[in-house]
């Protein structure tokens, strides 16, 4: 485990003096402190585990798992994290490992905890599926602004940068690693996964949540279930979910599927019984997976995303 | 005095924003706020910021008391500030009317229900919030006493002035006032759930005048008025309303609706069997009857 602390250069402090609002935040947080703790999970392969929490000032927005593959020839980053400060710390750590330059920075999808570290890396290294690129181009700045509101000073200097390269289903080599990118969907309209045929490690992005309730702001149930089936076809040994701990027993996709099917069932039943959205709020307690992190919080969110459609369907 | 209070509340909100609390969430508190007893919300400095002022606006100097019998079901935070679900159920015998409002919204009143015959139903709907706000429900009994329940919803805000994404694409004139509805008949209660196509424009967005459904008369099968539900601008677009009558009084329920532009919609809701059946929606639309 390595701890890296990024300190704000003084010119940034100077910038803050310009704005009264920022002065307030800077006087509280003169240091951007992003302790990162990469864990080696396979040959050349590291994970920076995100906190199994919602965005907060304390976790600095680092709630998603970030993958790194470092070889002598070149290195790869799977999701760039929530902020400039985080990605600076990540980049500085990668340099200490003595690997080759970061040639690939993949954005699994267009959610802010997965791509707002892009600006730290070479623009030519940034890669995402076309719909993800479009979504980042369109909504990236708004998402960054939102995250500022929830995370605060640790977002200092963060700007959304749109990837240039379009990722498609493709195989390529990184050092001795035979890598494969697959573009699936369901969590959003494009979800990029990375499978390392050499180590058996699968980075799923947010197509898989493990021991943590999944999120649905852009989700499509049917597509998501189909994508989980496709993940199950891959001969992976180790699965790194977008959120949650390592899975070495091939159980994480089943848990995500179970959660999705339960959401569908509870909303369909509620709508058929004529329950109002407000009455549905307490239904999370019926979830067999209610003990996993954030199950109540994310259920309240998913109700807002999905329940109106179930209600309308039940009235027709 | 109002201005001072508003400024105070804005200051508090600004500070919490800078400190990065955003939409706060704590593992220690239930997210499903069914709170009404004053003790549970005493720690919240925003709870009472507007209460005296708003109470005077709505009920003047009439007598009131906090009551556990007025239950507000509300999420503790708004995932979508244009669609915050709320349900009010009151266990007040012979209740006369209900007033529901969100203290810190630019337009505070959400809905009012006046009993004309029978009972006060449970009322559920979705509304917009502009920022984190207390929500109050006031229920008047037959002695004139107001029973008060309250809850609080946290929100990033902007729900009242955020333009609807689909606003320009939807042709309201073709399905305006169309109702999809269903009666749910249980042994000891009767529930009407409807969705009504209406933009419910608040008038707070530049260039879009206020245009909302403001009167819904609930009638029984014979056309006798049971109660009048008045909606205000904060009610979400295409309102989905749930009215839950605790005693089954009759088979059918129907709605007679008006908006602030003089449109009148009559929606007889036929029920073809005893258990929850889809309703025929033969909404009649007539313009300018008022
Ligand atoms: Zn995501």
């Amino acid at each position: 485990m390595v701890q890296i602390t990024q300190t704000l250069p003084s010119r940034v402090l100077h910038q803050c003096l310009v704005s009264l609002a920022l002065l307030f935040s800077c006087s509280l947080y003169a240091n951007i402190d992003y302790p990162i703790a990469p864990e080696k999970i396979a040959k050349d392969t590291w994970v920076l585990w995100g906190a199994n929490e919602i965005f907060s000032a304390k976790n600095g927005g680092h709630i998603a798992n970030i993958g790194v593959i470092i070889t002598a020839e070149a290195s790869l980053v799977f999701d760039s994290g929530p902020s400039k400060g985080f990605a600076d710390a990540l980049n500085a750590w990668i340099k200490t490992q003595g690997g080759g330059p970061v040639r690939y920075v993949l954005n699994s999808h267009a959610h802010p905890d997965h791509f707002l570290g892009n600006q730290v890396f070479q623009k030519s290294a940034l890669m995402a599926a076309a719909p993800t690129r479009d979504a980042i181009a369109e909504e990236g700045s708004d998402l960054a602004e939102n995250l500022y509101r929830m995370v605060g000073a640790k977002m200092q200097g963060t700007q959304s940068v749109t990837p240039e390269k379009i990722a498609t289903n493709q195989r390529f080599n990184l050092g001795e690693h035979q890598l494969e990118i697959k573009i699936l969907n369901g969590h959003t309209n494009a979800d990029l996964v990375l499978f390392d045929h050499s180590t058996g490690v699968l980075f799923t992005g947010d197509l898989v949540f493990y021991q943590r309730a999944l999120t649905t702001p852009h989700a499509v149930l049917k597509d998501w279930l189909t994508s989980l089936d496709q993940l199950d076809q891959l001969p992976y040994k180790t699965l790194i979910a977008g959120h949650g701990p390592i899975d070495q027993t091939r159980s994480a996709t089943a848990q995500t599927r179970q959660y999705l099917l339960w959401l569908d069932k509870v909303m369909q039943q509620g709508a058929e019984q004529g329950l109002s959205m407000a009455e549905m709020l307490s239904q999370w307690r019926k979830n067999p997976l209610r003990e996993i992190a954030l199950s109540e919080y994310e259920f309240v969110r998913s109700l807002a995303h999905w329940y109106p459609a179930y209600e309308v369907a039940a009235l027709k | 005095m109002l201005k001072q209070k508003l400024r105070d509340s804005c200051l508090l909100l600004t500070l919490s924003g800078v400190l990065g609390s955003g939409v706060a969430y704590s593992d220690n508190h239930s997210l499903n706020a069914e709170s009404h007893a004053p003790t549970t919300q005493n720690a919240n400095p925003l709870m009472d910021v507007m209460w005296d002022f708003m109470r005077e606006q709505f009920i003047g100097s009439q007598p009131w008391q906090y009551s556990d019998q007025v239950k507000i079901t509300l999420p503790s935070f708004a995932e979508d500030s244009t669609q915050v679900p709320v349900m009010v159920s009151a266990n007040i015998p012979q209740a006369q009317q209900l007033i529901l409002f969100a203290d810190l919204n630019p337009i505070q009143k959400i809905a009012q229900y006046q009993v004309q015959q029978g009972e006060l139903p449970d009322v559920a709907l979705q509304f917009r919030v502009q920022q984190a706000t207390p929500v109050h429900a006031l229920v008047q009994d037959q002695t004139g006493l107001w029973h008060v329940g309250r809850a609080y919803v946290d929100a990033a805000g902007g729900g009242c002035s955020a333009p609807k994404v689909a606003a320009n694409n939807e042709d309201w004139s073709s399905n305006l006032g169309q109702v999809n509805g269903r009666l749910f008949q249980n042994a000891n209660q009767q529930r009407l759930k409807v969705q009504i196509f209406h933009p419910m424009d608040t008038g707070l967005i530049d260039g879009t005048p206020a245009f909302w459904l403001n009167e819904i008369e609930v009638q029984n099968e014979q056309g006798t008025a049971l109660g009048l539900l008045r909606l205000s601008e904060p009610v979400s677009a295409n309102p989905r309303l749930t009215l839950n009558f605790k005693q089954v009084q009759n088979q059918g329920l129907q709605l007679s609706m008006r908006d602030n532009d003089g449109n009148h919609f009559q929606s007889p809701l036929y029920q073809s069997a005893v258990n929850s059946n889809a309703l025929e929606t033969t909404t009649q639309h007539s313009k300018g009857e008022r």
Side-chain angles (χ1 to χ4, degrees), chain A residues 109 111 113-114 187-188 206 209 215 243:
Chain A
H109 65 295
H111 283 163
D113 42 338
H114 299 262
H187 174 66
T188 64
D206 283 1
F209 283 71
T215 72
H243 300 259

Side-chain angles (χ1 to χ4, degrees), chain A residues 150 274-275 279 305 311 314, chain B residues 20 31 79 182 191 193 240:
Chain A
M150 289 186 275
L275 296 185
E279 288 168 299
H305 306 147
E311 282 185 288
Chain B
L31 293 169
E79 169 65 10
R182 187 162 160 182
R191 167 168 297 204
K193 195 168 175 183
R240 297 191 310 286

Side-chain angles (χ1 to χ4, degrees), chain A residues 100-215:
Chain A
V102 176
R103 190 182 296 159
Y104 304 97
V105 176
L106 307 180
N107 293 152
S108 64
H109 65 295
H111 283 163
D113 42 338
H114 299 262
F115 72 85
L116 282 173
N118 280 1
Q119 76 194 87
V120 166
F121 302 99
Q122 287 223 333
K123 204 156 187 217
S124 60
L126 306 175
M127 254 176 112
T132 304
R133 182 218 33 205
D134 295 346
I136 292 174
E138 201 168 311
E139 298 156 21
S141 299
D142 288 347
L143 290 170
E145 204 176 297
N146 255 325
L147 206 51
Y148 262 92
R149 202 166 30 71
M150 289 186 275
V151 166
K154 283 187 180 176
M155 291 293 293
Q156 196 73 61
T158 302
Q159 282 176 335
S160 175
V161 174
T162 306
E164 274 177 0
K165 278 195 196 145
I166 299 302
T168 53
N169 289 334
Q170 64 196 88
R171 282 178 178 242
F172 60 103
N173 290 341
L174 184 78
E176 297 165 4
H177 296 255
Q178 296 185 320
L179 302 179
E180 180 175 3
I181 285 174
K182 276 184 174 296
I183 311 297
L184 305 174
N185 61 2
H187 174 66
T188 64
N189 61 354
D191 297 289
L192 180 154
V193 305
L194 179 72
F195 182 50
D196 185 337
H197 287 268
S198 311
T199 59
V201 173
L202 173 64
F203 291 99
T204 66
D206 283 1
L207 278 176
V208 180
F209 283 71
Y210 193 38
Q211 312 298 11
R212 192 258 197 227
L214 55 84
T215 72

